[in-house]
Amino acid sequence: MDIKREDLLQLYYYLKLTRRLEDRATSLYHQGKILGGVWTSNGTEAVSVGYGYALEKNDIAAPYFRDMGVFLIRGITAKRIMAQYLGKKTGVTGGKEGNVHVGDLHFGVFGFPSHLTDNYPVGAGAALAFKMRGEKRVVAACTGDGGTSRGDFHEGMNIAAVRKLPIVFICNNNQYAYSTPLKLQMAIKNVAERALAYGMPSKIVDGNNVVEVYAAAKEAYEVARNGGGPTFIECKTMRMHGHSEHDSAKYVPRELLEEWKKKDPILYMETYLVGNQIAKKEELDSIDLRVKKEIEEAEVFAEESPYSEPEDVLKGLYATPVEE
Amino acid sequence: MDIKREDLLQLYYYLKLTRRLEDRATSLYHQGKILGGVWTSNGTEAVSVGYGYALEKNDIAAPYFRDMGVFLIRGITAKRIMAQYLGKKTGVTGGKEGNVHVGDLHFGVFGFPSHLTDNYPVGAGAALAFKMRGEKRVVAACTGDGGTSRGDFHEGMNIAAVRKLPIVFICNNNQYAYSTPLKLQMAIKNVAERALAYGMPSKIVDGNNVVEVYAAAKEAYEVARNGGGPTFIECKTMRMHGHSEHDSAKYVPRELLEEWKKKDPILYMETYLVGNQIAKKEELDSIDLRVKKEIEEAEVFAEESPYSEPEDVLKGLYATPVEE
Amino acid sequence: MKETTYLEAIKEALDEEMARDPDVFILGEDVGVYGGAFRVTEGLSEKYGEWRVFDTPLSESGFTGAAIGAALVGMRPVVEMQFADFVSCAFDQLVNVAAKNHYRWGAATPLVVRAPYGGNVHGGAFHSQCIEGFFFNVPGLKIVAPSTAYDAKGLLKAAIRDNDPVIYCEHKYLYRRIKDHIPEEDYAVPIGKARIAIEGNDVSIITYGAMVHTAIEAAQTLKESGVSCEIIDLRTILPLDRKSILTTVKKTNKVVVLHEQTKTGGVGAEISALISESCFDYLDGPIIRIAAPDTPVPYSAQMEEAFIPQPKDLITAVEKLMRY
Amino acid sequence: MKETTYLEAIKEALDEEMARDPDVFILGEDVGVYGGAFRVTEGLSEKYGEWRVFDTPLSESGFTGAAIGAALVGMRPVVEMQFADFVSCAFDQLVNVAAKNHYRWGAATPLVVRAPYGGNVHGGAFHSQCIEGFFFNVPGLKIVAPSTAYDAKGLLKAAIRDNDPVIYCEHKYLYRRIKDHIPEEDYAVPIGKARIAIEGNDVSIITYGAMVHTAIEAAQTLKESGVSCEIIDLRTILPLDRKSILTTVKKTNKVVVLHEQTKTGGVGAEISALISESCFDYLDGPIIRIAAPDTPVPYSAQMEEAFIPQPKDLITAVEKLMRY
Ligand SMILES: Cc1ncc(C[n+]2csc(CCOP(=O)(O)OP(=O)(O)O)c2C)c(N)n1
Ligand SMILES: Cc1ncc(C[n+]2csc(CCOP(=O)(O)OP(=O)(O)O)c2C)c(N)n1
Ligand SMILES: [Mg+2]
Ligand SMILES: [Mg+2]
């Protein structure tokens, strides 16, 4: 696949933006400024950036909680996300929800329900609507390796396969589900083998190579968009932080982390861009500077934003309120 | 596999007993004597008879609702079942439950919870207990083709595979789930392909050939009993009646029924036994006579049995009642 | 005005809403060509095509999730549970996704879940449950339960037009047993408004669903002995119509709450508590609840009759109250 | 007597019961080497081995079903939900299988489901729910909710020894915040018995879980203004200890019911209804409920504080009652 230089640089920008935003959230967490937990996609950013960037404007993302790249790419700004972390009124959910439990229909992003893989059937339903209405839109739904053990994975995959719905199922296989390694999660070698049960084509990609993720997703979206039905994409990667920022992840062998550190998706992309003379180091540095500034501004914005009022608790339960 | 003549005749007996019992229940239903629904295994009796007969005394069956053969083989008598249909006190559940929603731990039969495939994880749990305790017992859990689309199928199969539990999963693939044909249920050709998602070995057998079902189950039980882990067995057969006895099943093409009628499991077994000179026609007739008598007696017993008292409603909620 | 059964009224509502609004569609098991287990959707598939009356695989969580996803992108799905009891398999999607979408991230989920519920049909523990208790403590859902053909149609229309997830409890016992003269022209019954089924002065009977008819039967007998009952048919269970409840209590000063759902934690508890809280000073006697006992629904006719509240139980309660 | 936190008390109960009875085992996500998300099972895997502290795939329905199956063949499984919120994924297995086994077919299901529940921990809508409402209208289950370290240990022991399925609600907020001197020797706290946390004469505050501490705080303030509160700590929510409830009402004639669960359809409704029904003539004022409003649990500190009942809310209610 031929990818425009501009797109490659954007992919780099979003990798950086995701990393820096989550790094900053981690710091704020350790400073006690974020009251809830912080889960990052550290080390696996290429997954959400890759599949998120491959979507078209009118498509839908049904993400899970390590999909920061998707939020940013779709148009949920770093400011709103930072404010979200701090529980501010200007956050994506106005303080109603914390951290990554966000969504915004204006940008075609479904909210993430914490219950893992609930978004597979939900995503399939949006795809069903597109197919019924004859719209050339697709859905990308994502979950973790652990999330593939849930019943909703099975039911969502099956419905999509039976009806050839325009959806692509992504799996961020980062080797662990909290402390649970793959071998206690499934008795197969590749998560992608799960797709066999649905007669669904699958692909395995290097989840640390954003270009590969992007290309695979793009291709699968086009198949789906043209009536070819769903694809399952397993992105092999490695969670480099703990499950959340309070987890030291002692259960992960250090060697494994060492090994994967070399494959860091940002490093990888830098080498790729510079090595293939697509961009100069200085150009990347200037992108990084822009990112840094964006995050700083986001933080200031978030810090200066007001909190919601206690009475906001009672607002917004129903879309059609019932008169008393 | 070498099967003793005595066992072959028993298989025949149970096929007949199952058929006649369910036929009789169907008549009683049409006479208005059975208030709830009647679902039979008509045409698919070889599945439950085969896998049920292959179990050892201390094994556990976690059946579904077309498993009449299992109930009978394990020792739940035709009398008790007939009384169950009539909602009598002497029925398997004393009138608390209807028709096939039975179970009896004394005979190693788990109750069937109507919610399809709930018994897959439940069965896996019994197998887990056997493995933990080092007991050489196995579990057989069964569901329908439609039942394999449920989340509990996925979760139960996966847990059993990951921990190599001594359980065999049976699927009565009778081509339909109520009115829903296989092609609207799954996008694969064989239900057995579902097992690939768990790295679980599978077998496809002729579900109308009781000997084949029996042999496959027996073999899989031995693998499981000896630490080899679970197997999935797809029994290909055809539901010859409606979903339940009130359903005329107009949605099933007549030709399909004609085709499968020739493969009737009882006919098949008769031909097999007589053709291979294992038994004479007369011997089979005398078995049938015995079966007929047994069913007649069961009916008389059921008819003559009393109903439970209204106050029995309040009994038996808890195993450990809470003092007021 | 034409005479229409409860079941026909439901079908008419579906048919008319589908004709009016192309975004309305039906999904569930066997709803298509077969027309649903209770034949509520019969003929709709021929009329609207197999995509708008959509047969799903056997997977309640999956297709409920899919309905949610479709709703999020502008459709108005109506999910049919084959029996209300199976909604338990979709519990997570309803409680955590549908119910919380709007509050959490501002996305409307216009979804109707049709739940054929209730006993008196010899269905046993898995085909007779009242399921309102599952959802009654879940903010974000709405629950309606019509008792007449008029309301069955009007409430279903209102539910389909509502922008929130609505659990529509249709009582199986009423399907073909009651008829109303209902208008030819379009109408909807507003969600959140109770109705006075019978006006009276001495005692208020607050109820809903099939029990409205039980209350009417009891009220007729009571009238002969000079007791004038006011019967409130709640129509909407969540949120409750507080105003109607408090108005009748202020009028009669005596209350019996009646429901088929089991007693502990039932809707009756909330009604009783509401009254105690808000018009304690108007009460001339205890608030009596008549409800099913705290057990699963038993099967045999004798036991089921003892389980389900009968007119005589209500009469005894009212007579007791009248002595206050 | 030694000082023990609520969390340690839970762990001790698990440890001692596992040492006492080889049939007791733990299963859930990350309970093994990791010791559970809240570290409740820390060290137990090393002590009892990885089969008795059993890490499961990410599949609540599957492992709850498996626990049921193990229970049916004589084990005493203790399931850990990582957060109580995820029990919604196991709803069907608990409500339809575990709860109904004994009534339907006489099989005991000695099962404990540990549900770390409740708010005040900045968890947002999916990590803060009170889940007792999901199960409160389900006959066949038992629900307990300790408020002290003493009860946390004693009730867990009782739950493990009980032959019915028990939902054990452990409040996350209390884990490390409260301590008790608890006996060295073995003890159990009987299921179904409330306790008087503080004796008093003027008003009864009926509550459970973390709210007991809120009640105590309010009672201290109220004492200064001369109001003597009696605080009833329910300990068991299902079935309720009617005797203790009615006794305190008869003593003080005034009642406030307090819980963190959302108000509509909460446990408080049942308590209020019970009182109205059984000792209406003893009441000198309305039964007031103080509970969370009917919304999901909001995230930001300001909103969560407004959501969760505070001592001041209780004080206002009591003062209002005292004016009656
Ligand atoms: C149904 C459900 N059960 C439990 C959890 C708690 N939980 C949150 S993340 C997680 C591990 C997820 O692992 P995986 O799917 O591999 O995603 P990863 O965190 O590795 O990206 C668990 C158990 C949950 N969110 N949902
Ligand atoms: C979870 C659940 N949903 C719906 C039903 C209603 N129902 C009973 S049997 C049936 C079809 C089952 O099909 P299959 O699994 O193929 O078994 P078969 O009846 O063909 O033996 C359905 C939908 C059910 N029992 N459980
Ligand atoms: Mg993972
Ligand atoms: Mg079938």
Side-chain angles (χ1 to χ4, degrees), chain B:
Chain B
M1 187 181 291
D2 245 15
I3 306 174
K4 277 191 287 198
R5 179 175 183 274
E6 180 190 320
D7 287 328
L8 291 169
L9 293 182
Q10 279 295 85
L11 286 170
Y12 180 75
Y13 161 73
Y14 280 118
L15 282 177
K16 272 282 175 186
L17 189 65
T18 301
R19 172 73 56 90
R20 282 206 179 273
L21 193 157
E22 292 188 335
D23 278 354
R24 193 62 205 144
T26 301
S27 302
L28 292 173
Y29 172 78
H30 289 302
Q31 290 166 25
K33 286 191 179 159
I34 294 176
L35 295 176
V38 168
W39 299 262
T40 75
S41 60
N42 193 287
T44 77
E45 294 91 342
V47 177
S48 68
V49 171
Y51 92 77
Y53 196 72
L55 287 167
E56 304 284 327
K57 188 168 184 309
N58 284 321
D59 294 340
I60 288 280
Y64 93 127
F65 68 113
R66 296 201 205 276
D67 278 340
M68 183 57 75
V70 170
F71 301 142
L72 293 166
I73 289 164
R74 302 294 297 170
I76 304 179
T77 59
K79 282 185 181 168
R80 290 179 73 205
I81 288 168
M82 207 57 104
Q84 169 79 9
Y85 274 119
L86 298 185
K88 297 296 180 80
K89 197 177 180 111
T90 52
V92 192
T93 64
K96 287 243 184 79
E97 259 290 11
N99 44 68
V100 284
H101 294 95
V102 305
D104 192 333
L105 269 186
H106 298 107
F107 300 105
V109 181
F110 282 0
F112 165 61
S114 199
H115 296 62
L116 274 166
T117 325
D118 280 9
N119 260 351
Y120 264 42
V122 173
L128 170 61
F130 297 158
K131 181 151 181 165
M132 287 173 66
R133 296 194 302 229
E135 293 170 6
K136 286 218 153 193
R137 298 162 69 185
V138 303
V139 179
C142 189
T143 195
D145 44 291
T148 67
S149 296
R150 272 213 58 225
D152 276 28
F153 170 87
H154 182 67
E155 300 194 3
M157 292 279 285
N158 191 46
I159 290 175
V162 168
R163 295 294 185 150
K164 285 196 159 235
L165 302 181
I167 180 166
V168 175
F169 295 104
I170 315 283
C171 176
N172 178 327
N173 176 2
N174 61 9
Q175 321 278 336
Y176 281 85
Y178 209 144
S179 77
T180 307
L182 282 174
K183 72 169 193 300
L184 291 182
Q185 193 70 246
M186 56 190 79
I188 46 178
K189 212 171 146 251
N190 303 298
V191 183
E193 292 163 54
R194 295 239 195 260
L196 295 170
Y198 315 103
M200 192 189 295
S202 67
K203 276 184 211 167
I204 298 174
V205 301
D206 175 354
N208 283 26
N209 181 342
V210 73
V211 178
E212 198 178 322
V213 176
Y214 168 82
K218 191 101 194 158
E219 199 182 309
Y221 297 156
E222 288 324 298
V223 170
R225 208 181 297 284
N226 294 304
T231 304
F232 180 78
I233 301 179
E234 174 186 0
C235 306
K236 290 205 193 275
T237 176
M238 178 70 203
R239 196 191 74 203
M240 299 301 287
H241 280 197
H243 167 68
S244 71
E245 292 307 322
H246 79 272
D247 169 24
S248 58
K250 292 212 193 85
Y251 48 83
V252 178
R254 293 300 107 172
E255 313 80 69
L256 197 61
L257 291 173
E258 287 310 319
E259 179 196 325
W260 280 89
K261 206 174 165 184
K262 295 179 213 139
K263 303 191 227 169
D264 179 85
I266 294 182
L267 207 69
Y268 189 102
M269 190 59 175
E270 270 168 15
T271 315
Y272 176 86
L273 292 173
V274 177
N276 289 303
Q277 293 170 334
I278 296 164
K280 293 229 176 64
K281 184 77 174 65
E282 297 75 61
E283 199 171 356
L284 301 186
D285 287 347
S286 86
I287 290 177
D288 193 26
L289 217 66
R290 178 152 64 92
V291 166
K292 232 171 133 177
K293 210 164 141 243
E294 195 171 340
I295 300 298
E296 277 162 17
E297 280 169 14
E299 188 176 335
V300 171
F301 170 82
E303 293 267 18
E304 288 176 352
S305 288
Y307 289 106
S308 290
E309 303 300 321
E311 55 271 26
D312 290 332
V313 169
L314 299 178
K315 293 179 190 157
L317 182 67
Y318 288 129
T320 309
V322 177
E323 299 160 48
E324 271 283 311

Side-chain angles (χ1 to χ4, degrees), chain A residues 93 96-97 101 103 105 109 111-112 115 118 121-122 125 129 132-133 152 155 159 163 313 315-316 318-320 323, chain C residues 25 51 54-55 59 61-62 65-66 69-70 72-73 75 92-93 96-97 102-105 140-142 163-164 193:
Chain A
T93 64
K96 288 244 185 77
E97 259 291 10
H101 294 97
L105 269 187
V109 180
F112 166 61
H115 296 62
D118 280 9
V122 173
M132 285 173 66
R133 299 194 300 228
D152 276 28
E155 300 194 3
I159 289 175
R163 296 293 185 149
V313 169
K315 293 178 189 156
Y318 288 129
T320 309
E323 300 159 49
Chain C
F25 76 106
W51 283 82
F54 188 89
D55 273 328
S59 41
S61 190
L72 286 172
V73 295
M75 303 297 289
D92 171 51
Q93 285 283 355
N96 287 312
V97 190
H102 197 262
Y103 188 78
R104 289 180 55 242
W105 59 289
L141 298 177
K142 293 172 178 170
N163 289 322
D164 293 304
K193 295 275 168 271

Side-chain angles (χ1 to χ4, degrees), chain C residues 13 22 26 43 82 106 110 148 150 178-179 192 207 229 234 271 283 300:
Chain C
I26 295 170
Q82 196 153 82
T148 64
Y150 179 90
I178 62 165
K179 277 179 185 169
T207 187
C229 301
L234 290 168
I271 295 168
L283 285 175
S300 79

Side-chain angles (χ1 to χ4, degrees), chain A residues 39-41 44 64-66 101 112-118 143-150 171-180 182 185 239 242-243, chain C residues 92, chain D residues 29-30 58-60 63 81-83 85-89 126-127:
Chain A
W39 300 263
T40 74
S41 60
T44 77
Y64 91 128
F65 68 113
R66 296 202 204 274
H101 294 97
F112 166 61
S114 200
H115 296 62
L116 274 166
T117 325
D118 280 9
T143 195
D145 44 291
T148 67
S149 297
R150 270 213 59 225
C171 177
N172 178 326
N173 176 2
N174 62 8
Q175 322 277 335
Y176 282 85
Y178 210 146
S179 77
T180 307
L182 282 174
Q185 194 68 248
R239 196 190 74 204
H243 166 68
Chain C
D92 171 51
Chain D
E29 291 149 6
D30 308 295
L58 206 163
S59 41
E60 281 75 8
F63 64 71
M81 292 291 154
Q82 197 154 82
F83 283 78
D85 309 68
F86 301 125
V87 79
S88 56
C89 300
F126 296 128
H127 293 74

Side-chain angles (χ1 to χ4, degrees), chain D:
Chain D
M1 304 279 272
K2 59 194 161 92
E3 223 186 23
T4 309
T5 64
Y6 188 86
L7 188 144
E8 285 158 359
I10 296 170
K11 185 194 294 197
E12 279 181 16
L14 290 171
D15 192 355
E16 290 172 22
E17 290 302 295
M18 288 182 80
R20 189 187 57 78
D21 181 350
D23 292 333
V24 177
F25 76 106
I26 295 169
L27 72 172
E29 291 149 6
D30 308 295
V31 294
V33 174
Y34 189 66
F38 294 100
R39 303 308 172 97
V40 173
T41 58
E42 199 162 32
L44 297 179
S45 172
E46 285 94 279
K47 191 160 170 190
Y48 298 102
E50 64 157 333
W51 283 83
R52 285 187 70 196
V53 189
F54 188 89
D55 273 329
T56 62
L58 206 163
S59 41
E60 281 75 8
S61 189
F63 64 71
T64 303
I68 293 169
L72 286 173
V73 295
M75 303 298 289
R76 296 190 166 270
V78 180
V79 166
E80 174 176 305
M81 292 291 154
Q82 197 154 82
F83 283 78
D85 309 68
F86 301 125
V87 79
S88 56
C89 300
F91 185 73
D92 172 51
Q93 284 283 354
L94 288 170
V95 161
N96 286 312
V97 188
K100 296 181 176 55
N101 274 342
H102 196 261
Y103 188 77
R104 288 181 56 243
W105 59 289
T109 310
L111 165 73
V112 178
V113 176
R114 287 183 39 236
Y117 80 115
N120 239 337
V121 294
H122 313 300
F126 296 128
H127 293 74
S128 309
Q129 291 176 76
C130 290
I131 50 91
E132 54 273 37
F134 296 168
F135 300 108
F136 191 52
N137 187 233
V138 180
L141 298 177
K142 293 171 179 171
I143 310 174
V144 300
S147 73
T148 64
Y150 179 90
D151 284 354
K153 183 165 181 179
L155 278 171
L156 184 48
K157 290 200 163 208
I160 290 171
R161 296 170 191 180
D162 197 277
N163 289 322
D164 293 304
V166 181
I167 315 276
Y168 178 89
C169 298
E170 49 190 70
H171 204 295
K172 301 189 296 289
Y173 182 75
L174 301 179
Y175 273 155
R176 293 179 171 84
R177 281 191 182 80
I178 62 165
K179 277 181 185 168
D180 276 342
H181 289 278
I182 67 175
E184 303 278 353
E185 58 278 7
D186 180 60
Y187 68 95
V189 169
I191 291 180
K193 296 273 167 272
R195 74 181 179 105
I196 301 176
I198 293 186
E199 284 198 59
N201 300 306
D202 298 333
V203 58
S204 299
I205 299 168
I206 303 177
T207 188
Y208 60 93
M211 288 294 115
V212 169
H213 304 281
T214 305
I216 291 172
E217 201 180 318
Q220 275 155 358
T221 310
L222 285 160
K223 197 172 183 182
E224 286 160 24
S225 49
V227 181
S228 157
C229 300
E230 175 145 303
I231 299 178
I232 303 296
D233 176 358
L234 289 169
R235 303 202 287 196
T236 294
I237 298 172
L238 189 68
L240 285 169
D241 180 354
R242 297 165 54 99
K243 211 197 262 170
S244 294
I245 293 170
L246 302 182
T247 303
T248 189
V249 175
K250 286 180 186 168
K251 178 179 176 190
T252 67
N253 314 113
K254 290 182 176 169
V255 193
V256 181
V257 189
L258 168 71
H259 55 64
E260 186 186 323
Q261 185 195 13
T262 56
K263 186 170 181 180
T264 296
V267 173
E270 179 63 31
I271 295 167
S272 174
L274 263 182
I275 295 170
S276 291
E277 229 159 38
S278 309
C279 52
F280 176 75
D281 297 328
Y282 289 88
L283 285 175
D284 284 350
I287 304 162
I288 300 180
R289 287 179 294 166
I290 303 292
D294 291 329
T295 72
V297 186
Y299 170 77
S300 80
Q302 295 72 13
M303 284 199 271
E304 191 174 15
E305 191 184 320
F307 175 87
I308 290 180
Q310 303 293 334
K312 67 175 179 344
D313 305 318
L314 187 55
I315 292 169
T316 310
V318 169
E319 283 170 348
K320 184 177 156 197
L321 258 190
M322 294 321 293
R323 287 191 296 273
Y324 255 79

